[in-house]
Amino acid sequence: AAFRVLRRIPRVDYLIVDLPPGTGDVVISLVQTVPLTGAVVISTPSDVSLQDARKALEMFHQVNVEVLGIVENMSQFTCPHCHEVIDIFSKGGVERTAQQFKLPFLGSVELDPNIRHGGDRGLPVALAPEASSVGTASFYAIARKLIERAEEQRAHEQNVFEIT
C-alpha cells in the first residue's frame, strides 16, 4: 500500500489508525513503537470474526493497551425496498463479547451501500450532516462515545506522545 508523508501536520485532536484484523506484525509493531491512548476493536457479529476480536482483546490486555470499546460492523442490513431487517452475520455477538470482557459497547454500523459509495468516491458518510442517513448517524454516535472514552483514558495517562 502506498502512503504519503506530510511535511507539516495540522493540529490533530485524534489520530485513528485503521489496522488489518487480527494480531499480526503491523499491530505488534505499532504497539511497541507508539504510546497509544487506547484501541478500539471492530468486528462483525459472526463467530469467526468474533474469534479474531477476542484474540485482539487478549493481545491488547497482554501488552497493556487500554481497549476503549468494541464496535459492531455490518450489524444488519435493511432492505431498501421492503424495509425488512436482515441479520446477515448473526446478531448480538459483539455486544455479548463487550459484556464478557467488561468493555464498553460503542455501537453498531449497519451494512449500508451508501457507506461504501461514499468511501469509493472519497467522500465518507461521516463528513455528511449527522441526520443525512442511518449510517452517518451511527458514525457520529460511535465517535462521541469514543471521544468520551479517550478523554477518560487521557486523564489517567502519564506518557504523552506529540507530533509537532
Side-chain angles (χ1 to χ4, degrees), residues 84-151:
E84 178 184 357
V85 174
I86 303 165
D87 297 316
I88 295 171
F89 296 106
S90 189
K91 182 177 176 84
V94 176
E95 194 163 3
R96 283 191 300 277
T97 300
Q99 291 170 351
Q100 175 189 356
F101 282 81
K102 295 177 177 48
L103 294 168
F105 177 68
L106 299 175
S108 59
V109 178
E110 189 169 321
L111 184 58
D112 180 354
N114 291 325
I115 294 172
R116 184 193 56 83
H117 292 303
D120 287 350
R121 290 190 322 263
L123 298 167
V125 295
L127 296 179
E130 184 172 358
S132 62
S133 76
V134 172
T136 304
S138 64
F139 277 107
Y140 276 85
I142 291 167
R144 278 193 292 276
K145 290 177 185 175
L146 182 55
I147 288 168
E148 183 179 310
R149 289 284 295 137
E151 292 300 320

Side-chain angles (χ1 to χ4, degrees), residues 39-46 49-50 53 57 67-75 93-95 97-98 103-110 138-139 141-143 145-146:
V40 176
V41 174
I42 301 172
S43 178
T44 67
S46 75
S49 293
L50 285 167
L57 291 169
V67 176
L68 303 175
I70 303 178
V71 174
E72 184 172 85
N73 194 20
M74 297 187 276
S75 61
V94 176
E95 194 163 3
T97 300
L103 294 168
F105 177 68
L106 299 175
S108 59
V109 178
E110 189 169 321
S138 64
F139 277 107
I142 291 167
K145 290 177 185 175
L146 182 55

